[in-house]
Amino acid sequence: MRTNFPHIRLRWHRVGSATAVTAALVLAGFGTAVHADATTSSKVTWAATPCATPKKTGELACNSLRVTGGTTAFQKARGITPKAADAATPSGYGPSDLQSAYGLTSASASNGSGETIAIVDAYNDPNAEADLATYRSYYGLPACTSASGCFKKVSQTGSTTSLPSSDAGWSEEISLDLDMVSAIAPNAKILLVEAKSATMANLGKAVNEAVTLGAKFVSNSYGGSESSSDTSYDSSYFNHPGVAITVSAGDEGYGAEYPAASKYVTSVGGTALSTSSNSRGWTETVWKTSSTEGTGSGCSSYDAKPSWQTDTGCTKRMIADVSAVADPATGVSVYDSYGVTAGWYTFGGTSASSPIIAAVYALAGTPGSSDYPAQYPYKHTSSLNDVTSGNNGSCSTSYFCTATSGYDGPTGWGTPKGVSAFTG
């Protein structure tokens, strides 16, 4: 099993058009980034969540970042002045914002009943159900509890009582995932499957358990460097026809990660999402903070190219397929209470975009029993918002790292424009 410790590095950020450059030392994967969003013209700071630094050798990293200060795009658009780090009030996009941005307002209200969306994460969040209840109540979403059968939390073996050890960092990730599913598909059931550790073997077993328990939509917000073992992981954990499996593309800028590189999953890239005066009311660009932070993308070194992927510059699997908001400066509202001050936080990272896309699949309906739903967006490219600006680093083949009309690595075919691109 490979090791995937985020490398210690200096991150340099140019703020706006100023000539001064700010440097932040990232120690053990937890450091502060500074971002000047062109739309908000305000400085936002954030840090990688603790689970972005694997606890042990061989574990994978979550793909989430939590805002620590500044004024977010959500606050700027509404003239809200409290600092984003003030946990007393939401400072990120809520359900109505996300539904509006992705043309889902009607579908979110009407669709999803009877569907089960699984979230696969590592370790236990003891406050998962209570925090989820707070989020849903605040935003006026229907309650989703274990008592009603809407919410269920199990271990990778399916046990409801013998759960993994609790972990504050992964609890932040779990809250993010549960809240994003709720924001997009509030009528769906939620299954949280907690792996006993963040190794690919244990997370993969959790994916299999989610499918065994009937989930047709499974979100995975973690990843690591590719290895020659990936094709065996494909067959062991991700080859589930009839199930839409989404995976975060990564948060370290240009470069391929696994399991986003699996040919059986929908790999999800990340964007910066801001309000606009255009007909859509929103605009998106590739999420990039620096050459070492932003959405992942790239050509896999090991995974074969699926038949429905037809870009010509990469002979193997290309990341990503589609995308959604991931920039912390334009981040999403999350409620969390385990290991942090109980309250509202704004999160970004492709850990946000993966559960959003899994929930859109759920709104679109149960996949065909023999289908690999990753191919659906390729059949309906006109039903996506094409993201045509921005990049996530430097690459020798332009579309691997740079947005363009049509398909590109950082954003795939684009972001949801209703549910049509996510049906067979």
Side-chain angles (χ1 to χ4, degrees):
M1 185 66 205
R2 60 192 175 280
T3 302
N4 183 49
F5 285 93
H7 30 283
I8 297 174
R9 58 180 179 251
L10 280 171
R11 288 181 180 175
W12 297 89
H13 305 279
R14 185 175 301 278
V15 180
S17 59
T19 56
V21 176
T22 302
L25 179 62
V26 178
L27 294 173
F30 194 94
T32 299
V34 180
H35 179 89
D37 183 80
T39 305
T40 63
S41 298
S42 61
K43 184 189 297 184
V44 181
T45 59
W46 59 83
T49 54
C51 57
T53 303
K55 294 165 69 71
K56 302 173 183 176
T57 300
E59 292 200 345
L60 305 186
C62 67
N63 286 308
S64 57
L65 306 103
R66 177 160 60 87
V67 169
T68 55
T71 304
T72 64
F74 168 84
Q75 293 175 304
K76 186 72 174 179
R78 289 158 180 77
I80 300 172
T81 55
K83 294 180 179 178
D86 177 8
T89 54
S91 56
Y93 292 134
S96 62
D97 302 299
L98 297 173
Q99 292 170 20
S100 169
Y102 296 126
L104 299 168
T105 303
S106 177
S108 292
S110 303
N111 299 3
S113 296
E115 304 290 7
T116 296
I117 305 170
I119 295 297
V120 171
D121 279 313
Y123 300 101
N124 177 45
D125 178 0
N127 297 356
E129 184 171 358
D131 289 350
L132 176 64
T134 299
Y135 179 90
R136 293 175 74 106
S137 175
Y138 180 89
Y139 286 111
L141 305 178
C144 186
T145 66
S146 55
S148 70
C150 175
F151 176 75
K152 186 175 184 179
K153 180 171 75 170
V154 301
S155 71
Q156 69 188 53
T157 64
S159 174
T160 58
T161 56
S162 180
L163 298 170
S165 59
S166 298
D167 181 85
W170 279 95
S171 291
E172 293 185 41
E173 174 65 47
I174 288 169
S175 291
L176 168 60
D177 294 341
L178 296 178
D179 290 356
M180 289 308 95
V181 166
S182 298
I184 300 299
N187 297 320
K189 295 180 180 180
I190 303 177
L191 172 65
L192 171 60
V193 186
E194 297 178 332
K196 67 179 181 180
S197 75
T199 64
M200 187 67 262
N202 286 323
L203 288 162
K205 290 173 183 176
V207 171
N208 288 344
E209 185 63 25
V211 176
T212 296
L213 292 175
K216 298 298 182 184
F217 315 93
V218 183
S219 177
N220 304 269
S221 293
Y222 55 83
S225 54
E226 294 189 287
S227 83
S228 57
S229 300
D230 291 347
T231 53
S232 66
Y233 298 147
D234 278 354
S235 57
S236 297
Y237 307 128
F238 297 105
N239 186 6
H240 293 288
V243 180
I245 302 175
T246 64
V247 180
S248 301
D251 293 350
E252 296 195 346
Y254 175 65
E257 280 195 5
Y258 190 86
S262 171
K263 63 182 179 180
Y264 297 122
V265 311
T266 299
S267 58
V268 186
T271 66
L273 171 71
S274 298
T275 55
S276 172
S277 59
N278 61 20
S279 58
R280 178 187 170 194
W282 299 86
T283 185
E284 289 175 277
T285 62
V286 174
W287 166 44
K288 176 189 176 184
T289 306
S290 69
S291 61
T292 54
E293 185 177 275
T295 183
S297 72
C299 183
S300 173
S301 297
Y302 301 99
D303 248 78
K305 199 172 197 68
S307 60
W308 58 84
Q309 196 171 57
T310 58
D311 62 293
T312 58
C314 171
T315 59
K316 294 189 180 295
R317 170 66 158 125
M318 186 69 192
I319 300 169
D321 299 311
V322 292
S323 51
V325 61
D327 188 340
T330 69
V332 297
S333 180
V334 173
Y335 188 86
D336 186 54
S337 69
Y338 184 68
V340 294
T341 299
W344 295 96
Y345 297 92
T346 293
F347 278 84
T350 52
S351 279
S353 53
S354 177
I356 287 173
I357 295 300
V360 177
Y361 272 111
L363 295 180
T366 307
S369 60
S370 61
D371 289 357
Y372 290 99
Q375 67 185 295
Y376 292 171
Y378 289 78
K379 297 180 178 180
H380 308 285
T381 57
S382 64
S383 296
L384 293 159
N385 299 302
D386 190 8
V387 181
T388 59
S389 64
N391 68 80
N392 64 347
S394 300
C395 56
S396 57
T397 304
S398 179
Y399 78 90
F400 283 16
C401 66
T402 305
T404 186
S405 296
Y407 181 82
D408 58 72
T411 66
W413 283 104
T415 64
K417 185 165 62 177
V419 300
S420 297
F422 298 87
T423 62

